[in-house]
């Protein structure tokens, strides 16, 4: 299994503090040493840093940690390979373009029996179940809305239906963003925290590092951080229920819906 | 106008030496200070570094210059904006996926009247003529070959036809790679050099830096470097004729063809 980290903000914010804790889990404080990646949206553009190595000892991860890229939507991933060899093409997050916007996707889970028909509009480059699921999601979005992007409500509704379908086949925790908002699906494990005024001191769980967010924010800033396992040990993170899809926008969860259906009676 | 740098090799090779000279042209020895980017293929995977800043003073470009990523196909670009604002989404090279492979494209030129019909299969995210041309090329490749990738000969033939069409509208120097080979189109200015045994010392034009390639190669290595303007001042670069499309594979030019048609008699 892998770990996910996401950030969604109402003003461009750097993720250096959270990434410092997350990076340590890639081979130092945890076992996810088969690659790491992080994608930053800056307006419509994206920057994606990928490396099929342990993040804890990666020189490039050190640069990302100390180089403050300001972004409203960030998705990061550290990998413990379950399907697909350790290689750059299997390193998350993955990127595609749809409707003239980049889409970024990272997955934590295992979908061994997910082998959908793909029509060639989005084709995996590597051989992970994760990239296959991403391609299938985008293919379905394009099929349903053709060349005209849907409203955010329609997009959430459609992703909910598609996530129900894939989620029934295995663990499907994911983060997905088109730069405007961030979708988070908790299949088995995902938490979030909203940081807003009054800001306080946060302390990482994975190393002895603190930050006083009141020193680096303005009163209107709002930041949502989403992670497989909470990154700090002195803040109250919200555990998302298993089987729930969330939409984060401007640093807050604006809607969420269950993606598990109630068990059916045997003869229904 | 911008500048291009490409590399195609028969064994994974780092581009640190060439990039050191190229980077200096982004604001130090030349005026291309509106952004820079570089894409490395490693097997089927790609790493793309982009920054909408002058490369000569970019901390990230410094990292790329000193961090030896070994790749068989590399495309880099430094930008002097002519169309599209200075922004990450307008920074070359651009990436899309087609037939389960990433495609990387960078352009030097100006196509002010190129406004083709796009069917939504590949849509520009930014607002450069370059990304529009890239999307149009890929759309045409997909239309002609559907979901089955063509042979390399068919691919070259089709790109030749498409390049004739776009090249008639303005300056269209470009580098394009799918990780297997590298296509280079010289519309107005592009040169290349092949480095192979016996290897010798090369000295950069843009800074006082030399390398003895015999120290860092094996006798079977072969590397093609393609650049808008030769990067070294003690080697014999080949100037490509204006209006020629080239295919580089395994570090050598394997075919090329003219993309200018002879002027027609007035009443033909």
């Amino acid at each position: 299994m892998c770990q996910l980290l996401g950030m969604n903000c109402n003003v461009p914010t750097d993720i250096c503090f959270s990434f410092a804790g997350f990076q340590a889990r890639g081979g130092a404080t945890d076992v996810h040493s088969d690659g790491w990646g992080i994608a930053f949206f800056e307006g419509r553009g994206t920057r994606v840093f990928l490396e099929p190595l342990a993040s804890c000892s990666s020189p490039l991860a050190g640069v990302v940690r100390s180089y403050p890229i300001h972004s409203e939507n960030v998705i990061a991933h550290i990998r413990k390979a379950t399907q697909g060899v350790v290689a750059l093409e299997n390193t998350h997050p993955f990127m595609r373009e749809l409707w003239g916007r980049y889409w970024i996707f990272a997955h934590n889970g295992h979908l061994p029996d997910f082998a959908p028909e793909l029509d060639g509009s989005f084709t995996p480059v590597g051989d992970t179940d994760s990239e296959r699921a991403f391609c299938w999601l985008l293919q379905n979005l394009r099929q349903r809305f053709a060349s005209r992007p849907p409203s955010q409500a329609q997009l959430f509704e459609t992703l909910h239906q598609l996530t129900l379908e894939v989620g029934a086949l295995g663990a499907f925790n994911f983060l997905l963003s088109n730069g405007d908002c961030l979708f988070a699906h908790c299949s088995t494990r995902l938490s979030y925290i909203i940081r807003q005024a009054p800001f306080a001191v946060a302390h990482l769980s994975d190393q002895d590092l603190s930050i006083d967010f009141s020193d680096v924010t303005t009163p209107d800033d709002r930041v949502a951080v989403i992670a497989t396992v909470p990154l700090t040990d002195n803040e109250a993170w919200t555990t998302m229920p298993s089987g729930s899809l969330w939409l984060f926008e401007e640093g807050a969860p604006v809607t969420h819906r269950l993606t598990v259906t109630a068990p059916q009676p045997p003869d229904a």
Side-chain angles (χ1 to χ4, degrees), chain A:
Chain A
M1 299 287 273
C2 309
Q3 287 205 14
L4 298 169
L5 167 63
M7 185 175 76
N8 167 268
C9 324
N10 67 348
V11 292
T13 304
D14 80 67
I15 199 171
C16 295
F17 174 73
S18 295
F19 188 71
F22 191 66
Q23 179 199 10
R25 294 180 183 173
T29 59
D30 211 333
V31 296
H32 311 92
S33 54
D34 295 331
W36 67 276
I38 187 166
F40 299 87
F41 278 95
E42 292 167 81
R44 299 167 73 91
T46 57
R47 292 206 248 197
V48 185
F49 298 88
L50 300 170
E51 208 161 31
L53 301 170
S55 59
C56 71
S57 56
S58 153
L60 198 57
V63 172
V64 169
R65 194 186 58 207
S66 57
Y67 185 52
I69 294 178
H70 291 87
S71 173
E72 290 179 19
N73 287 284
V74 177
I75 291 178
H77 184 270
I78 47 178
R79 182 164 185 239
K80 175 89 185 84
T82 54
Q83 199 180 333
V85 297
V86 176
L88 187 60
E89 66 267 26
N90 290 334
T91 306
H92 308 219
F94 301 103
M95 184 175 93
R96 292 291 189 279
E97 171 265 312
L98 172 61
W99 300 316
R101 299 299 294 262
Y102 294 120
W103 293 70
I104 296 285
F105 176 85
H107 169 224
N108 155 24
H110 195 37
L111 299 166
D113 301 322
F114 183 65
E117 189 90 18
L118 293 175
D119 66 9
S121 53
F122 302 93
T123 306
V125 173
D127 43 17
T128 61
D129 48 6
S130 308
E131 192 187 9
R132 205 179 312 133
F134 178 39
C135 289
W136 183 84
L137 287 177
L138 293 186
Q139 171 181 308
N140 275 274
L141 289 179
R142 176 173 284 163
Q143 281 172 352
R144 292 186 195 203
F145 300 104
S147 58
R148 180 183 299 187
S151 69
Q152 200 169 78
Q154 287 175 310
L155 185 56
F156 184 81
E157 175 62 37
T158 308
L159 278 174
H160 180 255
Q161 293 167 15
L162 298 171
T163 302
L164 270 172
E165 212 171 311
V166 184
L169 297 173
F172 191 44
N173 304 285
F174 72 75
L175 300 177
L176 172 71
S177 179
N178 59 1
D180 283 336
C181 59
L182 192 147
F183 300 92
H185 182 239
C186 174
S187 168
T188 55
R189 196 171 192 188
L190 209 52
S191 297
Y192 73 87
I193 189 166
I194 306 301
R195 296 197 182 110
Q196 55 193 339
F199 289 99
V201 172
H203 180 264
L204 290 179
S205 309
D206 292 80
Q207 53 180 290
D208 188 15
L209 185 66
S210 295
I211 189 169
D212 186 342
F213 282 113
S214 67
D215 292 342
V216 291
T217 49
T218 71
D220 294 333
D221 293 3
R222 192 173 54 208
V223 176
V225 178
I226 303 123
T228 300
V229 178
L231 287 161
T232 56
D233 54 18
N234 67 332
E235 296 178 300
W237 291 66
T238 302
T239 303
M240 298 175 179
S242 281
S244 57
L245 180 69
W246 297 68
L247 167 60
F248 289 85
E249 197 181 11
E250 303 277 329
V254 292
T255 186
H256 70 277
R257 197 175 307 168
L258 291 184
T259 54
V260 281
T261 43
Q264 298 295 307
D267 298 312

